[in-house]
Amino acid sequence: LTRLHCSDVCSSDLQWRPVSEGLPERGKKYLVAGINPDSGYRWTGTCKFIGSDDSPLWEDEMTDAYNDYLEWTHEVTHWMPLPEPPKD
């Protein structure tokens, strides 16, 4: 077995970032976390950031597959870059 240390796999880039402190680069996919303001349900998933600072829009996998915008009732509160894929 190989032992991994946090320094091998952890990075300051792979930290949750509140959307209130800044938004990611447009057109890339990110790991996101959010809440449904109506129910309080907390969730995580992957989304592509398609908005801007003035209009923070996120596209989820289902939206992307149907090439149409779904009306979201979920608020993205945090984001982080996706890790690199495995090398083998």
Side-chain angles (χ1 to χ4, degrees), residues 7-80:
S7 61
D8 296 331
V9 294
C10 296
S11 162
S12 61
D13 288 341
L14 298 177
Q15 303 274 336
W16 286 112
R17 300 172 186 182
V19 296
S20 61
E21 294 180 10
L23 293 167
E25 183 178 337
R26 189 174 198 278
K28 293 185 176 182
K29 286 187 178 181
Y30 299 90
L31 182 60
V32 296
I35 188 169
N36 180 317
D38 297 328
S39 67
Y41 175 74
R42 295 191 175 275
W43 57 275
T44 58
T46 57
C47 291
K48 183 191 297 184
F49 183 67
I50 59 171
S52 65
D53 288 341
D54 297 332
S55 180
L57 298 174
W58 298 86
E59 182 178 71
D60 67 2
E61 295 295 326
M62 187 68 77
T63 305
D64 192 36
Y66 290 108
N67 198 23
D68 194 9
Y69 293 107
L70 301 178
E71 188 161 334
W72 260 33
T73 58
H74 295 75
E75 177 184 345
V76 174
T77 59
H78 293 77
W79 63 274
M80 76 165 75

